[in-house]
Amino acid sequence: MKNFSISIKKKINHFNKSIYVEGDKSISHRALLIASQSHGGISKISGLLESEDILNCVKALRQLGVKIIKKKNEHWIFGNGLGSFRIKNNATINCGNAGTLARLIMGCLSSYPIKIKIIGDKSLSKRPMGRVIKPLEKFGCRFYPKNKKNLPIVMQGTDFPAPIKHVEKIGSAQVKSAIQFAALNTPGITKIMEVKKSRDHTENLLKFIGVKIKVNKKKSSNKILIEGQKEFKFFKLDIPGDISSAAFFIVLTILNKNSKLKIKNINLNPTRAGILKILTLMKAKISLKNIKNVNGEKRGDIIVKSSKLVGINCPTSLVPSAIDEFPIIMLAASLAKGVSTFSGLNELEKKESPRLSVMNSILRQINIKTRLKKDKIKIYGNADINLKKTYKIKTFGDHRICMTAFIMAQLFGGKFNIKDCNSINTSFPKFLTLMKKIGAHYEIK
Ligand code: S3P
């Protein structure tokens, strides 16, 4: 698909609307990868995100011999049980832009003793894979060329996987999930000590479908125990909206005048909802309605109103549960009254683009004063900003940078030309249509 730019010349008007956003990307990946290894029948998933990252996941699973079809609003996955993937030696799996797919599928393939090449796009090929390679080597996998720590890479699983003990210190749910997926195909009990906590969708889904998993939650760390090589049954799952997609609409509503928005049926898992806590500390008017627990995950409606934000010193403990939302949170801070400080953001540099440095330069480009020091940024908010010039924004193929720039252009005045906006399709193909629904003006170039 040809890459496109977005031109925005006018601020958004006030609005009062109600919307749904598309399905959660993290849960969509997990649902597909787990259903593909379930047995006894067809798993039926509603609300699956149909973005490029998830379509790459479907493609990869079809390559592994899994039948996946769409029937009305459901995706049907014909799993054939643990160890049932059929794949040719020297096959190549292309993960596109999807870090979650690359790391999680490596875990799923850890017990197949053939060579599989894992590749990705330019951005994914720069991202660190050593963090999954290391624990998977402990299970018995091999990776070629030796000592390479990024894609493309060739992996070779093992016929005799051995359970491992792993201490998860990065706070990466992708690493934790890759290990859990490897554990499913490994005899005995794999143990993960989660010293730095991260999103727990894999644990929740595995528990929900009856896998032998125990999670001992403690204040300082969690202990996860998985007994492997135990078949699990097909399941039915409904996926709620993605809070990471809702985030752009939440911040737009807060920062726009006289506006109100209801975003329905959003995943509110506490390991993901950090943005709501951070914005509430900044004095945003956010309330939650219709909260329920469905399929092991909390969900509900988010109601948000225009608010006057104040700067905060953001507690570092909230960073992991808002990790993907920092570009848009930084934008919120730039229109708040006073100074905001965010620290402990080193993982941001390892995302689809180095998001901390990229956001720092974008904010400086529009004359917001910032101070960046290692993994800490200070943003000097300017609640009265009203830009007049024309700005060309580079987005580095990063969907969340692109959507953050779009929100900025709706609020700050001036004229904006946002480059390389194809990336939006990796996580949120309906973003522009929904923005139009609430009154955003833009042109595709
Ligand atoms: C994800 C985990 C996070 C997050 C990513 C999705 C997942 O990455 O940034 O967008 O679905 O497990 P890390 O595990 O690298 O922190």
Side-chain angles (χ1 to χ4, degrees):
M1 194 204 201
K2 208 178 144 264
N3 216 333
F4 63 92
S5 300
I6 301 176
S7 152
I8 296 163
K9 298 184 179 136
K10 214 174 138 192
K11 287 191 198 180
I12 193 165
N13 283 329
H14 55 86
F15 53 83
N16 182 349
K17 299 264 183 208
S18 173
I19 58 165
Y20 285 95
V21 299
E22 296 171 89
D24 188 276
K25 181 151 79 78
S26 291
I27 303 180
S28 293
H29 271 120
R30 287 154 174 83
L32 287 168
L33 293 164
I34 297 173
S36 296
Q37 303 175 75
S38 65
H39 89 122
I42 308 165
S43 291
K44 297 180 180 175
I45 301 170
S46 52
L48 189 89
L49 171 66
E50 290 180 87
S51 73
E52 268 170 24
D53 278 10
I54 299 302
L55 295 178
N56 279 325
C57 183
V58 169
K59 242 190 241 167
L61 289 167
R62 286 194 177 131
Q63 237 183 305
L64 296 173
V66 182
K67 183 174 163 188
I68 301 175
I69 57 170
K70 193 175 175 193
K71 282 238 174 185
K72 292 197 183 143
N73 290 331
E74 280 181 342
H75 281 81
W76 289 16
I77 293 106
F78 297 70
N80 290 311
L82 282 172
S84 66
F85 290 152
R86 280 181 278 112
I87 187 150
K88 288 190 199 113
N89 200 19
N90 294 320
T92 298
I93 291 182
N94 188 348
C95 298
N97 189 248
T100 308
L101 173 59
R103 296 185 178 121
L104 268 55
I105 208 156
M106 285 188 193
C108 297
L109 294 170
S110 62
S111 54
Y112 293 81
I114 50 169
K115 286 189 173 164
I116 303 164
K117 190 172 184 181
I118 312 283
I119 64 168
D121 70 4
K122 206 168 129 196
S123 145
L124 185 54
S125 303
K126 285 190 201 149
R127 298 179 64 189
M129 292 297 150
R131 50 181 65 191
V132 275
I133 292 174
K134 226 173 155 189
L136 292 179
E137 279 177 339
K138 285 212 266 162
F139 278 100
C141 300
R142 275 178 281 181
F143 291 85
Y144 309 98
K146 280 211 164 103
N147 299 323
K148 193 164 182 226
K149 300 282 181 270
N150 58 334
L151 302 186
I153 202 157
V154 173
M155 78 170 283
Q156 186 172 25
T158 169
D159 262 338
F160 299 104
I164 68 163
K165 275 187 198 161
H166 178 82
V167 182
E168 219 304 285
K169 292 183 191 155
I170 309 172
S172 165
Q174 294 178 357
V175 172
K176 184 174 61 167
S177 302
I179 296 171
Q180 290 181 82
F181 286 167
L184 290 178
N185 282 296
T186 301
I189 294 176
T190 294
K191 290 186 192 142
I192 305 171
M193 281 303 297
E194 191 184 16
V195 177
K196 195 160 176 201
K197 296 181 192 176
S198 57
R199 63 189 69 189
D200 59 2
H201 305 301
T202 306
E203 296 88 302
N204 293 343
L205 186 52
L206 292 178
K207 255 193 227 163
F208 169 67
I209 62 170
V211 167
K212 289 195 173 266
I213 173 168
K214 262 194 213 150
V215 183
N216 294 329
K217 289 193 181 176
K218 292 215 179 108
K219 230 182 172 180
S220 59
S221 66
N222 293 335
K223 187 159 97 186
I224 305 167
L225 304 173
I226 297 194
E227 194 178 340
Q229 290 193 344
K230 301 275 177 214
E231 289 287 359
F232 48 88
K233 269 178 73 180
F234 66 98
F235 54 90
K236 207 170 154 73
L237 187 79
D238 179 64
I239 300 178
D242 197 327
I243 194 164
S244 300
S245 297
F248 301 103
F249 288 85
I250 294 173
V251 171
L252 175 63
T253 311
I254 289 171
L255 299 180
N256 201 29
K257 289 206 173 97
N258 301 321
S259 297
K260 186 177 171 191
L261 191 66
K262 185 179 199 179
I263 315 170
K264 290 193 252 178
N265 195 37
I266 297 296
N267 180 266
L268 295 174
N269 178 324
T271 64
R272 288 290 299 285
I275 181 168
L276 302 181
K277 288 195 184 147
I278 294 172
L279 292 172
T280 305
L281 286 176
M282 297 174 85
K283 301 231 179 305
K285 294 174 190 157
I286 301 175
S287 55
L288 305 177
K289 290 255 159 69
N290 289 327
I291 298 179
K292 17 183 180 190
N293 246 63
V294 181
N295 305 154
E297 293 270 345
K298 183 173 164 187
R299 64 171 69 182
D301 302 339
I302 301 175
I303 294 133
V304 52
K305 289 183 195 161
S306 313
S307 323
K308 286 204 167 24
L309 295 187
V310 298
I312 53 159
N313 189 352
C314 180
T316 322
S317 59
L318 292 177
V319 170
S321 59
I323 193 69
D324 290 340
E325 285 63 75
F326 272 96
I328 194 71
I329 291 171
M330 287 186 219
L331 187 77
S334 67
L335 267 190
K337 187 168 177 250
V339 183
S340 293
T341 310
F342 303 99
S343 49
L345 300 179
N346 54 319
E347 275 296 301
L348 275 197
E349 293 300 78
K350 297 173 183 147
K351 299 296 176 191
E352 286 83 331
S353 73
R355 286 181 178 158
L356 183 55
S357 333
V358 168
M359 276 312 294
N360 182 50
S361 29
I362 293 179
L363 294 181
R364 284 172 165 243
Q365 201 184 336
I366 57 160
N367 286 330
I368 297 288
K369 187 176 159 195
T370 63
R371 197 164 290 158
L372 176 65
K373 214 174 177 191
K374 287 189 184 154
D375 66 349
K376 179 171 170 178
I377 188 166
K378 239 184 192 176
I379 299 171
Y380 297 76
N382 177 0
D384 303 317
I385 194 161
N386 194 11
L387 303 174
K388 297 270 185 275
K389 290 194 209 147
T390 300
Y391 302 87
K392 200 189 255 183
I393 308 288
K394 281 199 203 161
T395 62
F396 304 92
D398 185 333
H399 52 136
R400 301 204 200 281
I401 295 294
C402 195
M403 291 186 273
T404 300
F406 185 97
I407 303 303
M408 186 165 90
Q410 297 299 331
L411 294 165
F412 285 58
K415 290 184 181 155
F416 280 80
N417 186 355
I418 308 166
K419 308 304 272 180
D420 301 330
C421 295
N422 250 7
S423 60
I424 293 176
N425 291 323
T426 62
S427 68
F428 196 179
K430 298 210 172 104
F431 175 75
L432 290 174
T433 317
L434 281 169
M435 279 293 164
K436 192 163 258 171
K437 186 178 167 190
I438 62 165
H441 305 276
Y442 59 85
E443 256 178 79
I444 305 280
K445 297 249 159 117

